[in-house]
Amino acid sequence: SSALILVGGFGTRLRPLTLTLPKPLVEFANRPMILHQIEALAAAGATDIVLAVNYRPDVMTAALKRYEQKYGVNITFSVETEPLGTAGPLKLAEKILGKDNSPFFVLNSDVICDFPFTELAEFHKSHGQEGTIVVTKVEEPSKYGVVVHKPSHPSRIDRFVEKPVEFVGNRINAGIYILNPSVLKRIDLRPTSIEQETFPAICKDGELHSFDLDGFWMDVGQPKDFLSGTCLYLGSLAKRSSKQLTPASLPYVHGGNVLIDPSAKIGKNCRIGPNVTIGPNVVIGDGVRLQRCVLLENSKVKDHAWVKSTIVGWNSSVGKWARLENVTVLGDDVTIGDEVYVNGGSILPHKTIKQNVDVPAIIM
Ligand code: GDD
Ligand code: MG
């Protein structure tokens, strides 16, 4: 079967990281975000994966060629000359998605969960109608698409409301779908929204169903949620006693849920955790305190630094006794001086910071 991942534009909400790498290649839990999705799709039997993008995907093409072999899938880039929204790209890829009569998967590129593709396909087959969307419950439904059911039918969706202004319910669209090829006939080749146009139309015909997700879910398209999503993901690894996690018995691991690449170097008397990921070739000095943070490849945290709720970009360096917190994000190759305090700073690539950033700000 086939699948389409809505990759979209430049991922501006994940700046400054996306100034350096396209969003799908930014490492989530030490692996490119899109790899989590490709791996899960391949495991569910998808053989043709379309990446719908609206910029030249040169960097991505190179990176993804390697994964084709590894996961035994064909990866095709479908490049839009103007952004086609969330439905237009399906029409653009009609040749691949509609090549046989089997249903295809669609997903937003910025969602993370234990992708339930196999169960989703089974459920979809069992009701026999046009579409099934994965739903999950959230506290703040107004940022998402909300589904409403009639009490008489727990899975057939009665109404789909994108970003509701008034509360209509808390079961939201998780950004993961399985659709019959017949849905392609409902979509025109123009900028158009699956949430605003296609889903309401399928609903009206009573052909759209929901599938409840088990476990965690997060849209990790912005730094705050990227950090929360990392916590949820690590928590889920811990729950499954995954061997990927760094053993909690190590003296520097504090509170568990820590993922450290084997090539990283950790100094003496550190306290790391909970909820920390450390990428390849990262160097941590002595007496460093890390909690709820993400350190990307080749970054460095010097002695006695204190880092919390922060993403440290590739090749960046954090000075001795520095203190970073409150959703601070360092882009590629940023240098934070010794003893500097950063409170919610978003620091653009190649910057050197010698003065405190006392209130949240973008430093360019
Ligand atoms: N190819 C392509 N072209 N992709 C696009 C375009 C486009 O013009 N516009 C958006 N996308 C991609 C984005 O990159 C993302 O992966 C996905 O489509 C959804 O767009 P977002 O901008 O992230 O939407 P959202 O997060 O506000 O809302 C969507 O996701 C929620 C779940 O996270 C909706 O689908 C909501 O209904 C849903 O609840
Ligand atoms: Mg999103």
Side-chain angles (χ1 to χ4, degrees), residues 207-272:
E207 294 268 337
L208 193 62
H209 287 255
S210 64
F211 174 90
D212 286 288
L213 184 67
D214 263 344
F216 75 102
W217 175 88
M218 199 74 195
D219 177 331
V220 296
Q222 35 194 324
K224 182 173 169 279
D225 298 336
F226 191 93
L227 286 167
S228 306
T230 301
C231 297
L232 294 174
Y233 180 84
L234 294 173
S236 142
L237 289 184
K239 211 166 144 192
R240 284 184 275 141
S241 311
S242 164
K243 288 197 186 74
Q244 281 182 65
L245 282 179
T246 304
S249 55
L250 286 172
Y252 52 81
V253 173
H254 185 77
N257 300 10
V258 170
L259 187 64
I260 304 180
D261 187 274
S263 63
K265 290 197 178 65
I266 312 289
K268 291 184 224 104
N269 302 318
C270 290
R271 184 182 269 215
I272 299 176

Side-chain angles (χ1 to χ4, degrees), residues 313-324:
W314 316 273
N315 311 303
S316 284
S317 140
V318 177
K320 292 182 183 176
W321 294 286
R323 180 177 173 123
L324 312 182

Side-chain angles (χ1 to χ4, degrees), residues 125-193:
K125 210 168 152 193
S126 76
H127 66 65
Q129 292 184 300
E130 273 196 276
T132 309
I133 74 180
V134 177
V135 304
T136 184
K137 282 186 183 158
V138 295
E139 304 269 314
E140 230 188 282
S142 62
K143 296 199 284 177
Y144 307 100
V146 177
V147 299
V148 185
H149 297 79
K150 284 218 173 87
S152 56
H153 205 304
S155 98
R156 178 177 294 128
I157 300 172
D158 186 42
R159 270 195 309 145
F160 186 98
V161 191
E162 183 64 15
K163 315 264 159 65
V165 189
E166 273 169 36
F167 185 88
V168 290
N170 67 348
R171 278 162 90 194
I172 63 124
N173 168 20
I176 301 166
Y177 326 126
I178 184 166
L179 306 172
N180 287 351
S182 61
V183 169
L184 297 167
K185 292 198 205 106
R186 297 177 176 268
I187 304 172
D188 299 329
L189 189 58
R190 59 170 168 88
T192 156
S193 157

Side-chain angles (χ1 to χ4, degrees), residues 8-10 51-57 77-85 88-89 91-93 189-191:
F10 294 99
L51 304 187
V53 296
N54 47 51
Y55 53 86
R56 295 297 324 164
F77 284 86
S78 177
V79 185
E80 296 147 47
T81 46
E82 64 170 327
L84 291 178
K91 192 69 175 184
L92 190 64
L189 189 58
R190 59 170 168 88

Side-chain angles (χ1 to χ4, degrees), residues 66-127:
R66 284 187 285 143
Y67 304 136
E68 285 196 313
Q69 284 220 327
K70 182 162 180 206
Y71 295 106
V73 292
N74 302 312
I75 300 176
T76 313
F77 284 86
S78 177
V79 185
E80 296 147 47
T81 46
E82 64 170 327
L84 291 178
T86 47
L90 275 64
K91 192 69 175 184
L92 190 64
E94 187 166 28
K95 279 216 177 74
I96 299 175
L97 301 180
K99 76 173 184 319
D100 51 26
N101 240 340
S102 61
F104 54 85
F105 298 107
V106 176
L107 59 157
N108 292 349
S109 67
D110 52 7
V111 298
I112 201 90
C113 63
D114 286 324
F115 297 102
F117 294 123
T118 305
E119 301 86 332
L120 176 63
E122 272 164 26
F123 174 71
H124 180 72
K125 210 168 152 193
S126 76
H127 66 65

